[in-house]
């Protein structure tokens, strides 16, 4: 769940859904829940420990940035970005 939702922000934006999708991607790649706090800083190293490539880790990390810094990707855009490093 995106931090802005956990803190009770009533303005739920698609960016919160992106954060949640990234959390699911993290879990699928590692079998672990994503870090609760500071996720955007901690996700890359955790994914690397599980053998996830840098490009894929960067996509997941970007989607877990704080709301103001999070990309405005749609779900299909996020999926395409996740798939791109895997297709290479």
């Amino acid at each position: 769940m995106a931090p802005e939702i956990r803190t009770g922000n009533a303005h739920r934006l698609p960016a919160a859904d992106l954060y949640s999708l990234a959390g699911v991607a993290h879990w699928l790649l590692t079998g672990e829940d994503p870090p609760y706090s500071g996720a955007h800083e901690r996700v890359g190293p955790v994914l690397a420990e599980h053998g996830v490539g840098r490009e894929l880790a960067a996509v997941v990390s970007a989607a877990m940035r704080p709301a103001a810094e999070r990309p405005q990707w749609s779900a299909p855009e996020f999926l395409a970005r996740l798939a791109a490093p895997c297709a290479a």
Side-chain angles (χ1 to χ4, degrees), residues 3 8 12 23-24 26 28 33 37 46 48 52 61-62 64 70 72 88:
R12 294 189 173 119
V24 171
H26 181 282
L28 290 169
D33 290 337
S37 62
V46 171
V52 176
S61 295
M64 298 190 85
R70 201 171 304 141
Q72 297 299 308

Side-chain angles (χ1 to χ4, degrees), residues 34-46:
Y36 184 75
S37 62
H40 68 289
E41 296 171 348
R42 298 172 51 207
V43 164
V46 171

Side-chain angles (χ1 to χ4, degrees), residues 15-83:
D17 293 336
L18 177 62
Y19 186 99
S20 295
L21 286 173
V24 171
H26 181 282
W27 184 82
L28 290 169
L29 291 165
T30 66
E32 301 172 3
D33 290 337
Y36 184 75
S37 62
H40 68 289
E41 296 171 348
R42 298 172 51 207
V43 164
V46 171
L47 291 172
E49 289 174 11
H50 286 84
V52 176
R54 239 179 298 164
E55 290 179 48
L56 184 56
V59 172
V60 175
S61 295
M64 298 190 85
R65 290 180 188 150
E69 301 170 22
R70 201 171 304 141
Q72 297 299 308
W73 300 328
S74 66
E77 288 171 322
F78 181 59
L79 177 59
R81 289 175 184 272
L82 287 175

